[in-house]
């Protein structure tokens, strides 16, 4: 009896061990599968695309911040070279945006991405080397050829930096408007998530990259900053080149490009066939050389004229194609948002300084704007899932405009410098017609201190000012109600702004034919730069703080017009269904329809 009982106990222990070993095996398999999924994600084309974009954006943001500071440093703390650089960059993209986009369309994806990457980084490296030479030998260069050699260095730096910006534009068009669509496939939800992740990377690098290079320049020197940026771009170029090749290998559909490329290849084949059929005709032409000798030369002249006119024809065709797009009004709505002073650029930062905000407060506000921008990308993915893509743009526009109403109210609150008795053009007319000397920020001996990543001299960084400062530049403390409402509206509006930006971006990705993605997005970039240029001209015409309130009201009006254009587009697209909210995109449509078709509601 005891022996049988012992046998039963042994059998139970054996089954328990078997079950335990089975549980351990299942747990082990689960861990292996989880590890495999993690490894698969970090080696996927999507993650490699994110990594390459992060490296590229980090280098871009460091360079864009540093080149402005370098130009100010080189030209005796004057903003002249920086202003010239800004105008050259804006004008170049405005004129060449369509041509760059057409070049993106007509060449293979890998060739475009690699060429623009190499040109961009090589230009930045070359600029960095020239700037280092200028910083080292500036006094010697001033004496050579009466300073003309130094002037040529300035021109060379601005020209090469402009080439780098044009190459960066080509990279943005091909990666963010084309590659990302192909990698996402026909899954529109995946495309929305990838767009949102790209924007989050942009938001983070916008804050962190200038802070990093600003610290290097503050604790080191501008020359060390040049060397660091050149070294970073050299290393980043090699890594990005490898990442692009890996993404291209992992996504075979990137090798397929429809539309214009196929047509051009067919034309080349037809030309080759015709040339193969012409030898006999050529023998006859040798006999009739005197009679028809001028015909080949005439054809060559026509071909040369057509080649010279090709960029102008491409420019015209690009704008016409952009106008004929179904998402034309949506793209125009996005462009109108660039005609604003309600952002964290040098204009708003300078105004904040005149209102008594310190550099530390401004850096915190910039960080808060980055956080709300990231919140906007999260809101975009959630709204798109619940209400559809087009309605997301409407909701985002309403949210942004509602927040900007605070900015309009701030113009009339206590502490606002708005004075309608002062002409907005009083300052510029005094400079031009009364020969009033321009104010200087600081003497050459007192080198301005750089505050965080703004690169703004440490003047007026608080409501109280030093005793030795200029009394005209040191007003009594003013109420902060107006400037507080202004920045509260600007920061809160970033949620709607970035959600709206992502909406229009995806509409362009989904509704523009693959063969026209480059040229249409190139024209879109040109429109954005055009409105951005107009906003700088507006500030140049009315630069005094008393007129800033008028600039705020004009900016809010342009934002309203942009969202009215988008609302008209949404109304034409959805009709009466526009206000039927909380209708998610049908999965069947998103899985079956290609990205080039009309967007789902």
């Amino acid at each position: 009896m005891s022996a049988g009982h012992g046998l039963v106990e042994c059998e139970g222990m054996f089954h328990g061990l078997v079950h335990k070993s089975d549980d351990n095996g299942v747990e082990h398999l689960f861990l292996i599968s989880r590890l495999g999924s993690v490894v698969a994600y970090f080696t996927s084309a999507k993650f490699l695309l994110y990594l390459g974009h992060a490296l590229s954006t980090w280098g871009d943001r460091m360079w864009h911040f540093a080149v402005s500071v370098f130009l100010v440093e080189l030209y005796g703390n004057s903003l002249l070279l920086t202003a010239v650089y800004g105008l050259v960059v804006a004008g170049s993209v405005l004129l060449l945006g369509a041509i760059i986009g057409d070049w993106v369309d007509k060449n293979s994806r890998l060739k475009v991405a690699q060429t623009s990457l190499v040109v961009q980084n090589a230009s930045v490296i070359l600029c960095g080397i020239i700037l280092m030479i200028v910083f080292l030998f500036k006094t010697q260069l001033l004496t050579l050829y009466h300073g003309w050699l130094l002037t040529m260095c300035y021109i060379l730096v601005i020209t090469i930096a402009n080439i780098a910006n044009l190459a960066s534009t080509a990279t943005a068009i091909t990666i963010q408007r084309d590659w990302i669509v192909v990698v996402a496939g026909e899954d529109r939800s995946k495309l929305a998530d990838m767009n949102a992740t790209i924007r989050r990377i942009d938001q983070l690098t916008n804050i962190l990259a200038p802070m990093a290079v600003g610290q290097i320049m503050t604790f080191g020197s501008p020359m060390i900053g040049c060397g660091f940026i050149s070294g970073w771009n050299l290393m980043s170029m090699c890594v990005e080149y490898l990442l692009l090749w890996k993404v291209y290998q992992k996504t075979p559909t990137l090798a397929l490009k429809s539309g214009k490329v196929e047509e051009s290849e067919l034309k080349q084949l037809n030309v080759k066939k015709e040339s193969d059929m012409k030898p006999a005709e050529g023998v006859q032409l040798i006999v009739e050389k005197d009679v028809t000798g001028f015909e080949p030369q005439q054809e060559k002249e026509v071909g040369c004229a057509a080649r010279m006119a090709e960029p102008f024809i491409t420019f015209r065709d690009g704008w016409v194609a952009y106008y004929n797009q179904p998402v034309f009004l949506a793209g125009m709505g996005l462009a109108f948002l660039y005609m604003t002073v309600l952002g964290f650029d040098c204009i708003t930062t300078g105004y904040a300084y005149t209102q008594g905000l310190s550099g530390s407060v401004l850096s915190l506000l910039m960080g808060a704007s980055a956080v709300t921008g990231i919140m906007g990308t999260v809101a975009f993915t959630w709204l798109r899932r619940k209400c559809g893509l087009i309605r997301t743009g409407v909701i985002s526009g309403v949210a942004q405009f509602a927040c900007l109403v605070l900015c309009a109210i701030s113009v009339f609150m206590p502490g606002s410098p708005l004075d309608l008795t002062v002409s907005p053009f009083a300052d510029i007319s005094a400079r031009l017609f009364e020969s009033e000397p321009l104010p200087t920020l600081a003497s050459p001996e007192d080198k301005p201190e750089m505050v965080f990543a703004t690169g703004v001299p440490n003047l007026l960084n608080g409501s109280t000012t030093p005793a030795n400062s200029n009394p005209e530049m040191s007003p009594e403390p003013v109420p902060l109600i107006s400037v507080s409402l202004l920045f509260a509206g600007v920061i809160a509006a970033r949620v709607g702004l970035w959600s709206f930006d992502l909406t229009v971006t995806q509409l362009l990705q989904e509704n523009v034919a693959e063969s026209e993605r480059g040229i249409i997005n190139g024209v879109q970039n040109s429109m954005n730069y055009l409105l951005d240029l107009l906003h700088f001209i507006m500030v140049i015409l009315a630069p005094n703080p008393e007129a800033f309130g008028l600039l705020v009201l004009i900016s809010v009006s342009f934002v309203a017009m942009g969202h009215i254009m988008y609302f008209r587009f949404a109304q034409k697209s959805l009709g009466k269904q526009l206000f039927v909210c909380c209708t998610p995109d049908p999965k069947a449509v998103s899985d079956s329809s290609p990205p080039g078709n009309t967007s789902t509601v």
Side-chain angles (χ1 to χ4, degrees), residues 420-442:
L420 296 178
T421 61
V422 178
S423 170
F425 312 109
D427 192 67
I428 191 168
S429 62
R431 302 281 178 259
L432 292 176
F433 303 113
E434 298 176 17
S435 301
E436 186 179 327
L438 289 169
T440 55
L441 291 175

Side-chain angles (χ1 to χ4, degrees), residues 6-316:
L7 186 62
V8 171
E9 285 184 354
C10 289
E11 190 175 349
M13 289 173 64
F14 175 75
H15 283 295
L17 288 171
V18 169
H19 283 299
K20 190 173 181 180
S21 64
D22 288 344
D23 292 341
N24 290 335
V26 170
E27 187 177 352
H28 185 62
L29 289 173
F30 176 74
L31 289 173
I32 290 175
S33 64
R34 289 294 298 271
L35 183 63
S37 62
V38 170
V39 172
Y41 175 76
F42 283 112
T43 56
S44 65
K46 182 170 72 171
F47 178 78
L48 296 178
L49 201 64
Y50 293 156
L51 185 59
H53 179 72
L55 289 171
S56 176
T57 310
W58 185 276
D60 274 354
R61 297 300 179 267
M62 285 199 305
W63 171 247
H64 287 157
F65 166 74
V67 69
S68 301
V69 179
F70 292 153
L71 293 175
V72 170
E73 182 80 18
L74 286 173
Y75 208 69
N77 297 325
S78 170
L79 297 175
L80 177 62
L81 286 181
T82 307
V84 170
Y85 170 68
L87 286 173
V88 168
V89 164
S92 298
V93 178
L94 178 61
L95 294 175
L96 301 176
I99 297 170
I100 291 171
D102 187 62
W103 175 73
V104 171
D105 286 332
K106 287 182 176 179
N107 291 277
S108 67
R109 290 188 173 99
L110 187 62
K111 177 186 175 182
V112 169
Q114 290 179 339
T115 303
S116 55
L117 172 69
V118 171
V119 171
Q120 177 192 355
N121 286 277
S123 300
V124 172
I125 292 167
L126 185 58
C127 262
I129 293 171
I130 295 172
L131 286 169
M132 288 174 71
I133 294 171
V134 172
F135 278 122
L136 278 173
F137 305 104
K138 185 178 179 181
T139 53
Q140 290 89 335
L141 291 171
L142 276 170
T143 58
L144 291 173
Y145 302 104
H146 304 286
W148 281 105
L149 189 58
L150 184 61
T151 303
M152 287 302 300
C153 289
Y154 292 153
I155 295 171
L156 195 61
V157 166
I158 291 175
T159 303
I160 298 173
N162 183 46
I163 293 171
N165 185 73
L166 292 174
S168 176
T169 302
T171 302
I173 291 173
T174 189
I175 299 297
Q176 298 181 37
R177 301 294 188 268
D178 187 27
W179 280 49
I180 192 173
V181 180
V182 179
V183 171
E186 297 181 2
D187 189 345
R188 294 181 176 178
S189 296
K190 184 179 179 182
L191 178 61
D193 291 337
M194 291 183 72
N195 283 327
T197 304
I198 290 290
R199 282 295 179 273
R200 287 167 198 152
I201 293 170
D202 291 341
Q203 290 294 313
L204 290 172
T205 52
N206 276 340
I207 300 297
L208 298 177
M211 286 179 66
V213 73
Q215 296 303 313
I216 292 169
M217 292 166 58
T218 302
F219 293 104
S221 66
M223 193 181 69
I224 293 174
C226 289
F228 176 78
I229 291 173
S230 297
W232 173 273
N233 277 271
L234 180 60
M235 180 198 70
S236 177
M237 178 177 64
C238 300
V239 177
E240 287 177 60
Y241 198 93
L242 179 63
L243 290 172
L244 285 174
W245 176 247
K246 286 289 184 184
V247 172
Y248 192 79
Q249 281 185 322
K250 289 177 177 292
T251 314
T253 48
L254 284 171
L256 307 174
K257 202 168 185 179
S258 61
K260 289 183 180 178
V261 173
E262 291 181 354
E263 291 172 6
S264 62
E265 287 176 356
L266 286 172
K267 286 179 183 177
Q268 288 176 3
L269 288 172
N270 290 334
V271 169
K272 193 176 288 185
K273 287 178 182 177
E274 289 173 6
S275 63
D276 291 338
M277 294 170 63
K278 282 185 177 179
E281 191 176 347
V283 173
Q284 295 176 356
L285 286 173
I286 291 173
V287 179
E288 301 175 354
K289 186 176 179 181
D290 295 333
V291 181
T292 60
F294 292 100
E295 287 185 6
Q297 187 177 356
Q298 194 174 13
E299 286 179 6
K300 188 179 288 185
E301 288 177 0
V302 172
C304 182
R307 190 178 295 276
M308 289 177 64
E310 187 177 355
F312 302 99
I313 296 171
T314 301
F315 180 82
R316 182 202 64 192

Side-chain angles (χ1 to χ4, degrees), residues 227-548:
F228 176 78
I229 291 173
S230 297
W232 173 273
N233 277 271
L234 180 60
M235 180 198 70
S236 177
M237 178 177 64
C238 300
V239 177
E240 287 177 60
Y241 198 93
L242 179 63
L243 290 172
L244 285 174
W245 176 247
K246 286 289 184 184
V247 172
Y248 192 79
Q249 281 185 322
K250 289 177 177 292
T251 314
T253 48
L254 284 171
L256 307 174
K257 202 168 185 179
S258 61
K260 289 183 180 178
V261 173
E262 291 181 354
E263 291 172 6
S264 62
E265 287 176 356
L266 286 172
K267 286 179 183 177
Q268 288 176 3
L269 288 172
N270 290 334
V271 169
K272 193 176 288 185
K273 287 178 182 177
E274 289 173 6
S275 63
D276 291 338
M277 294 170 63
K278 282 185 177 179
E281 191 176 347
V283 173
Q284 295 176 356
L285 286 173
I286 291 173
V287 179
E288 301 175 354
K289 186 176 179 181
D290 295 333
V291 181
T292 60
F294 292 100
E295 287 185 6
Q297 187 177 356
Q298 194 174 13
E299 286 179 6
K300 188 179 288 185
E301 288 177 0
V302 172
C304 182
R307 190 178 295 276
M308 289 177 64
E310 187 177 355
F312 302 99
I313 296 171
T314 301
F315 180 82
R316 182 202 64 192
D317 292 346
W319 285 87
V320 171
Y322 178 76
Y323 176 76
N324 291 326
Q325 291 296 315
V327 290
F328 166 71
L329 285 174
M332 283 294 293
L334 178 63
F336 265 60
L337 302 192
Y338 282 78
M339 177 67 177
T340 178
V341 295
L342 302 174
F344 280 90
D345 56 3
C346 54
I347 294 167
T348 311
T349 304
Y351 172 75
Y353 268 80
T354 66
Q355 296 304 296
L357 294 186
S358 65
S360 59
V361 171
L362 272 175
S363 64
L364 292 174
L365 292 176
M366 291 177 69
S369 73
V371 172
T372 52
I374 293 171
M375 288 170 60
T377 63
V378 176
F380 164 74
T381 54
W382 184 83
L383 284 171
R384 183 199 164 278
R385 203 177 303 116
K386 295 292 182 182
C387 302
L389 183 62
I390 294 178
R391 294 191 193 92
T392 298
V394 175
I395 296 169
S396 303
V398 171
Q400 184 191 7
F401 184 75
C403 294
L404 291 182
V405 170
L406 292 175
C407 301
I409 294 172
S410 74
V411 174
F412 308 100
M413 296 302 288
S416 173
L418 178 67
D419 189 355
L420 296 178
T421 61
V422 178
S423 170
F425 312 109
D427 192 67
I428 191 168
S429 62
R431 302 281 178 259
L432 292 176
F433 303 113
E434 298 176 17
S435 301
E436 186 179 327
L438 289 169
T440 55
L441 291 175
S443 61
E445 293 82 11
D446 301 328
K447 208 169 185 181
E449 228 178 77
M450 296 301 170
V451 180
F452 288 92
T454 59
V456 180
N458 193 10
L459 299 172
L460 295 173
N461 60 347
S463 56
T464 60
T465 54
N468 59 354
S469 61
N470 188 355
E472 292 181 3
M473 297 288 287
S474 306
E476 293 182 1
V478 294
L480 295 178
I481 298 174
S482 175
V483 72
S484 299
L485 275 176
L486 175 71
F487 278 96
V490 170
I491 292 170
R494 310 292 278 188
V495 178
L497 170 65
W498 287 109
S499 180
F500 182 78
D501 177 84
L502 283 167
T503 300
V504 178
T505 297
Q506 186 153 345
L507 283 170
L508 288 168
Q509 289 170 335
E510 292 182 358
N511 292 276
V512 175
E514 184 180 347
S515 60
E516 293 183 332
R517 274 184 202 148
I519 194 167
I520 298 301
N521 283 285
V523 174
Q524 181 66 51
N525 282 346
S526 297
M527 280 299 306
N528 297 345
Y529 270 94
L530 174 62
L531 272 297
D532 192 47
L533 193 62
L534 290 178
H535 116 265
F536 277 111
I537 293 172
M538 179 177 68
V539 175
I540 290 170
L541 292 176
N544 51 324
E546 291 82 5
F548 191 79

